[in-house]
Amino acid sequence: MTKKRETQPKQTKLPENEKIKSLNQHISDATGENMTTDQGVKINDDQNSLRAGDRGATLLEDFIFREKITHFDHERIPERVVHARGSGAHGVFKLYKPLGHLTKAAFLNDTEIETPVFVRFSTVAGSRGSTDLARDVRGFAVKFYTQEGNFDLVGNNMPVFFIQDAMKFPDLVHAVKPEPDNEIPQAASAHDTFWDFISLMPESAHMIMWLMSDRAIPRSYRMMEGFGVHTFRFINEKGEANFVKFHWKPLLGVHSVAWDEAQNISGKDPDFHRRDLWDAIESGAFPEYELGVQIVPEADEFKFDFDLLDSTKIIPEELVPVQRIGKMTLNRNPDNFFAETEQVAFHIGNIVPGIDFTNDPLLQGRLFSYTDTQLIRLGGPNFHEIPINRPISASHNNQRDGFMRQRIDRGKTSYGPNSLGNNDPVQVKEAQGGFTSYQERIDARKVRARSDSFRDHFSQARLFYHSQSEPEQNHIIDAFSFELGKVKTVAVRQRMVGILSLIDKGLAAGVAFALGLQIPQELEKPINHSIPADGDPADYEPIQVEGKVRKSEALSMKNTIKDSIVSRKIAILAADGVNAASVMAISDAITGAGGIVHVIAPKLGEIIASDNSKIAVEESFLTGASVLYDAVYVPGGKTSVATLEAEANAVHFLNEAFKHCKAIAADKEAVQVLEATYFFDKLPEEFSEETVLAEGIVVEENPDALSDKFIKAIAQHRFWDREKPRQVPA
Ligand code: HDE
C-alpha cells in the first residue's frame, strides 16, 4: 500500500466577500450545458467546417466557423507597456484600529469592515510571457474596493524610483526594454541602452542600488515588501492634513534567491513566482501583509535633509517609524486570468475621501498616464465596467456611450444641471462624503525646473549600501559586475564606475576590478547631459555625515523575520530501499510546521522502502531541481543511500543546494551521499549545534533531533556566509 504523507489541506470552500459576490454574477460555467454560438444557436458539429463536398473548399456561409475563428483572431489585447507580466489574487484588508485622527477614509476608520482587495504583482521590463525571476523591480498594485469607491495603491517592492520627474519615464522605459533594432534582451536590464541612460542620470543612483540588490530577485511574491513610493496626504474630518508614506510588510519576512539560482529557475520554471502564489493560496497558506504608514505632520515638511516630494528618497524608518495599521490576506485565486488579472486596470488617481496627492512630480505625471494607457489597452472609456474594475459602491454620473458600454442608462437626461430629470444624479456635500481636494496654498511661478532640494543623489544610495550585511554588499558588487559585464560599450561601463565611486569607493573598486577597469580620476561632468541645470559638479560630491557611516537596519534583509518555514518547499532525495520511518518522521515534522515536502527519486511513480512499504514520488531528478526547493534532506536506508551516492543528479542536487546556501540535512546513515559532494571536505569535522547555525548542515541519527535542527535551519532561509570562501562549481 502506498503510504500517504500529509500534504497541505486543499481549500474546499472559497472565501467570498462583497466583491467576489459581485463577480459571481458574471461567472459562466459550462458544466452540463449545450454548446451554442455567441447568438445562442445550438451547435451540432464543432469538428468540421461546412464544405462543398467532403474534399471541397470551405463555404463562406459557415457562420459557425466564421464566428469561432473571428473571435479567436481577436483574443489578444495589447500587453501593458510596462508591468506586462503579472499574477493576481483576491483578498481582504482589515484595519487594526481606527485612524480617525489622521484620515476620514471610511475603510480606515472601522475595524469591523473587511475591505475586499484585488492584488496584482508583476515584473516591469519583460513581456507577458517572460520569466518571473528576471532581475527587476516588482509591481505591487492593490485595489481596495471600499464602500466609498475604489482606492488603488499602485506600488512597487522598492521604496524609491529611477527618476524624479515623469517627463523622463518614456526615456527610462525605452532604455530598459529590449533594444529597438533586434529586440534583445528580453526581461533584462543587462544591456547597453539601459546602462547608458542610467550612467547619465545620477538621480537613479539610489534606485540602482536597490535593483542590484537581492530585492530584485525575491524568493516569492509572498516574501517581499511593498511601497507606495510617493508621499501622499491623509486628510481627517477637520480638514487637517498629514503626509503619509505607505508600506506593505509581509508576515513571512523578506527573502530572496541567489542570482545564479534565479537564472536557473528561469529555465526550469519561468512561472516560479506565479505558481508559488497560486499554490500557496490553493493550499490555504494565505499570503499576509501588514499595511504600514509613516506619518509626517505638515509642519515637519522641511525637517529632513531630503525633499518629501522626491521619489528617489525614502524616509528612513529610524527617523519616522512605520506604524502597522491593518492586515491584508490574499485568500482566493482568480477564476479566470484574462478576465481578472489581465483586465484589471489600476490607477494611482483612484483615491477616496481622506486620501490625497502631493506635488511629487513623478506622482503628478502618473495621474495622467494610467487612464490614458487603459484607454488603448482595454479599448475605450468603459473599462471601469469590466467586472474586476467595478467598485462595490454604486456609480452614477452623466458619462455616456463609447465602445463596449454595458450599462443601460435610463431617462432623457445625461447632463447637469437638469430640470427634466429631477437634477439627478445629485452632487454630494463634503460632510456627506463628497470628495473635495485638499486646499493646498499655492504661490508659484510656472516653470520647467527641478527644485534644488532634489539635487542630492548619493547620500541615500550610500545609506542603502552601508546598511547591507557583507554578503548583501557582495551580491550588489556581483550584480553590477554581471550587468555592466554584459554592456558592450566600454565608455558606458567606465562612466558607471565613476558614478559608483560617488556612492562608495569599495563598491566602485570591486566592480572596476571585475570589469578590468580603473576608477576614473576625473569624472565626466556634467554627468547628466540632458538637464542643463545640473551644471555644478559640487552637486555630485558625497555628503559627509560627521565622518560616520550612516545605517538603517530596515534596509537589510538580514534583519528580517526568520522564525517560520510556512509554505517552504523541502526536497527528500530517496530511492528504493529508503528507510520509510525516517522519511515519515521528517515529513510529518516539516508539514506540521507548515512546510511542504516532495520526494524526489531517480524515476516517477513509487519507491519501495526497506520495510517493503511504498512511498509516492512527486518528482524525478529529471523533472525536479534543487533551485525549485528551499532545503533538502537525505534519509537513511542502505540501498537508497548507495543508489544516490552513485547518482550524479542527486550529488548535483546537493552541490547546487549548497552553492545556493540552503539548509541541508542527512540521516547519519546517509552521510556517504554528502561525502560524494564537492563541499563535504570543506565542512567542519563535527556537526555541532554551532555548525548547524553557522553552516545550515544537519547530520543526525535521531529523527526528532534532526527535524528540530533542520526546521530551525530552514527558517534561517539562507546561509550566505557559506558562499564566498567555498564556491561550488555546480
Ligand atoms: Fe507605473 N505604469 N508609471 N509606476 N506602474 C503602469 O499602467 C507610469 C511608477 C506601477 O499591475 C502603466 O496599467 C508612469 C512608479 C505598477 O496593472 C502605465 C510613471 C510606480 C504598475 C504606467 C510610472 C509604478 C504600473 C502600464 C512615471 C511605483 C502595474 C500599464 C511617472 C510606485 C499595475 C498600466 C498593474 C503600470 C505609467 C512610475 C507602479 C503606463 C508614467 C513610481 C505596479 O500607465
Side-chain angles (χ1 to χ4, degrees):
M1 206 187 78
T2 304
K3 290 208 178 172
K4 282 242 178 313
R5 285 172 298 105
E6 210 180 294
T7 48
Q8 297 267 345
K10 179 96 173 82
Q11 201 187 320
T12 43
K13 193 169 178 313
L14 291 175
E16 287 197 354
N17 57 47
E18 238 177 299
K19 181 64 193 170
I20 299 296
K21 285 186 196 138
S22 82
L23 288 174
N24 283 345
Q25 301 162 18
H26 303 274
I27 282 186
S28 160
D29 185 350
T31 319
E33 298 288 350
N34 288 326
M35 179 182 275
T36 69
T37 65
D38 282 345
Q39 306 303 320
V41 175
K42 292 193 185 97
I43 295 176
N44 158 264
D45 181 350
D46 182 50
Q47 318 305 321
N48 299 296
S49 49
L50 188 67
R51 269 168 251 153
D54 56 6
R55 297 182 61 248
T58 302
L59 298 180
L60 193 58
E61 171 196 320
D62 188 353
F63 65 95
I64 299 177
F65 170 79
R66 274 190 287 113
E67 180 191 90
K68 187 172 182 180
I69 292 290
T70 307
H71 197 281
F72 168 75
D73 289 344
H74 295 259
E75 275 174 9
R76 290 291 170 274
I77 60 172
E79 64 175 33
R80 289 165 175 81
V81 59
V82 281
H83 298 267
R85 178 164 179 85
S87 302
H90 291 279
V92 290
F93 172 76
K94 262 202 113 173
L95 186 70
Y96 290 153
K97 52 178 197 234
L99 295 185
H101 58 297
L102 291 171
T103 171
K104 60 186 176 187
F107 82 107
L108 296 178
N109 273 277
D110 188 343
T111 53
E112 294 300 307
I113 301 176
E114 278 205 337
T115 304
V117 297
F118 186 77
V119 177
R120 185 172 178 274
F121 301 109
S122 49
T123 52
V124 179
S127 295
R128 254 188 78 177
S130 57
T131 173
D132 282 343
L133 265 288
R135 174 176 292 284
D136 202 349
V137 186
R138 298 299 184 287
F140 193 132
V142 183
K143 194 178 277 293
F144 294 82
Y145 302 94
T146 87
Q147 316 127 294
E148 296 178 301
N150 290 348
F151 166 53
D152 292 358
L153 186 52
V154 196
N156 280 341
N157 77 329
M158 298 179 189
V160 289
F161 204 62
F162 299 90
I163 49 172
Q164 296 175 320
D165 189 318
M167 189 75 156
K168 299 310 294 168
F169 190 66
D171 300 279
L172 167 72
V173 176
H174 288 173
V176 73
K177 282 275 180 178
E179 297 187 5
D181 48 356
N182 53 16
E183 222 194 8
I184 299 175
Q186 179 56 240
S189 51
H191 59 112
D192 285 49
T193 54
F194 179 69
W195 288 102
D196 183 31
F197 178 75
I198 294 299
S199 67
L200 296 168
M201 292 288 287
E203 69 201 56
S204 65
H206 188 192
M207 179 64 168
I208 280 302
M209 298 305 292
W210 285 81
L211 187 66
M212 293 301 112
S213 81
D214 294 344
R215 302 270 183 155
I217 37 174
R219 158 65 180 82
S220 160
Y221 286 140
R222 303 174 294 120
M223 299 171 199
M224 62 183 202
E225 290 179 302
F227 303 89
V229 175
H230 313 283
T231 305
F232 289 83
R233 276 195 173 90
F234 267 160
I235 318 288
N236 65 17
E237 283 291 356
K238 292 187 209 148
E240 294 160 347
N242 277 280
F243 293 111
V244 56
K245 289 249 190 205
F246 292 106
H247 296 246
W248 289 110
K249 301 272 188 190
L251 293 193
L252 292 179
V254 190
H255 302 286
S256 69
V257 299
W259 177 229
D260 177 71
E261 188 185 0
Q263 293 175 81
N264 278 311
I265 295 173
S266 290
K268 299 273 181 189
D269 185 7
D271 305 303
F272 186 74
H273 284 153
R274 177 175 286 182
R275 193 186 307 284
D276 167 276
L277 181 68
W278 181 275
D279 288 351
I281 294 176
E282 284 300 295
S283 70
F286 298 147
E288 295 173 310
Y289 310 79
E290 284 181 315
L291 180 62
V293 289
Q294 284 178 298
I295 302 293
V296 176
E298 290 248 300
D300 291 347
E301 180 172 1
F302 301 107
K303 195 176 116 180
F304 305 98
D305 61 359
F306 54 86
D307 196 324
L308 288 177
L309 303 185
D310 174 359
S311 277
T312 65
K313 305 295 184 298
I314 56 166
I315 308 178
E317 291 188 26
E318 286 72 16
L319 298 185
V320 180
V322 175
Q323 307 170 39
R324 299 179 183 225
I325 63 167
K327 189 168 79 176
M328 174 169 77
T329 307
L330 302 182
N331 55 18
R332 186 182 166 116
N333 278 316
D335 285 302
N336 183 287
F337 183 89
F338 180 84
E340 301 174 78
T341 310
E342 194 60 10
Q343 290 202 110
V344 66
F346 290 97
H347 182 12
I348 188 180
N350 290 348
I351 52 169
V352 291
I355 301 173
D356 212 335
F357 313 116
T358 60
N359 292 335
D360 171 347
L362 200 68
L363 184 165
Q364 295 278 319
R366 292 179 73 198
L367 288 175
F368 171 75
S369 182
Y370 287 72
T371 313
D372 189 40
T373 207
Q374 311 307 353
L375 286 172
I376 180 85
R377 197 170 70 81
L378 299 169
N382 290 317
F383 58 84
H384 60 281
E385 291 195 334
I386 296 172
I388 191 69
N389 295 324
R390 293 186 188 186
I392 55 168
S393 55
S395 84
H396 301 283
N397 52 44
N398 289 320
Q399 270 105 261
R400 289 290 186 275
D401 307 349
F403 283 113
M404 301 298 164
R405 185 66 169 182
Q406 311 284 306
R407 192 162 67 195
I408 304 170
D409 294 292
R410 251 204 305 233
K412 281 196 187 303
T413 56
S414 51
Y415 56 89
N418 70 65
S419 67
L420 300 182
N422 198 31
N423 206 24
D424 288 335
V426 284
Q427 295 181 173
V428 184
K429 293 203 170 67
E430 185 179 357
Q432 269 88 56
F435 184 90
T436 51
S437 289
Y438 177 64
Q439 298 193 7
E440 185 177 1
R441 179 167 286 285
I442 295 172
D443 172 20
R445 283 178 304 123
K446 188 163 41 166
V447 289
R448 282 189 194 275
R450 198 72 63 96
S451 167
D452 274 345
S453 55
F454 278 40
R455 235 170 252 298
D456 166 25
H457 304 316
F458 297 108
S459 299
Q460 289 207 351
R462 192 170 313 119
L463 172 69
F464 181 79
Y465 187 67
H466 290 162
S467 302
Q468 305 301 302
S469 62
E470 199 184 321
E472 286 170 308
Q473 288 191 339
N474 289 335
H475 293 174
I476 292 174
I477 295 175
D478 289 349
F480 273 112
S481 306
F482 175 93
E483 295 261 319
L484 294 171
K486 296 275 181 185
V487 168
K488 298 283 172 278
T489 314
V490 177
V492 170
R493 293 183 186 162
Q494 186 72 61
R495 202 185 298 131
M496 243 354 268
V497 171
I499 294 260
L500 295 183
S501 71
L502 295 176
I503 298 171
D504 183 88
K505 291 277 186 287
L507 163 68
V511 177
F513 178 79
L515 298 175
L517 296 173
Q518 304 287 324
I519 299 178
Q521 295 299 312
E522 286 283 310
L523 290 185
E524 204 180 317
K525 288 176 185 155
I527 297 174
N528 185 334
H529 295 293
S530 59
I531 300 176
D534 278 357
D536 185 357
D539 290 339
Y540 304 111
E541 296 306 327
I543 293 180
Q544 298 296 328
V545 186
E546 293 153 13
K548 267 202 277 169
V549 178
R550 228 173 113 198
K551 288 188 181 184
S552 170
E553 289 230 324
L555 298 178
S556 168
M557 288 161 64
K558 186 175 182 202
N559 308 317
T560 191
I561 300 163
K562 291 179 181 168
D563 61 0
S564 158
I565 68 158
V566 168
S567 76
R568 295 307 174 99
K569 286 178 79 178
I570 289 83
I572 298 187
L573 306 189
D576 287 342
V578 71
N579 180 339
S582 63
V583 172
M584 293 305 154
I586 305 304
S587 284
D588 289 351
I590 287 173
T591 45
I596 296 163
V597 172
H598 281 178
V599 168
I600 305 193
K603 62 177 178 54
L604 290 172
E606 290 168 337
I607 45 178
I608 315 282
S610 54
D611 63 0
N612 276 334
S613 62
K614 291 177 182 169
I615 297 178
V617 174
E618 271 83 15
E619 304 284 351
S620 71
F621 286 117
L622 192 65
T623 61
S626 86
V627 292
L628 307 177
Y629 293 89
D630 293 292
V632 48
Y633 167 60
V634 192
K638 283 202 173 48
T639 328
S640 170
V641 167
T643 308
L644 296 178
E645 186 191 1
E647 166 67 74
N649 287 320
V651 177
H652 175 73
F653 199 110
L654 287 161
N655 275 334
E656 206 173 43
F658 184 87
K659 178 178 184 173
H660 299 144
C661 306
K662 296 174 182 175
I664 296 174
D667 189 283
K668 204 149 205 169
E669 209 181 15
V671 80
Q672 68 200 72
V673 185
L674 295 195
E675 279 166 10
T677 65
Y678 178 86
F679 61 84
F680 188 80
D681 287 352
K682 302 171 192 231
L683 296 175
E685 302 250 309
E686 284 297 313
F687 291 98
S688 63
E689 190 84 26
E690 294 75 50
T691 331
V692 170
L693 284 183
E695 305 285 344
I697 310 278
V698 188
V699 179
E700 276 285 347
E701 203 169 347
N702 175 321
D704 288 343
L706 188 141
S707 45
D708 192 45
K709 289 181 187 173
F710 190 33
I711 286 171
K712 282 195 190 119
I714 302 166
Q716 290 299 304
H717 185 63
R718 293 301 170 87
F719 297 85
W720 297 121
D721 289 332
R722 179 199 285 175
E723 194 172 38
K724 275 284 157 183
R726 283 162 291 173
Q727 274 199 349
V728 176

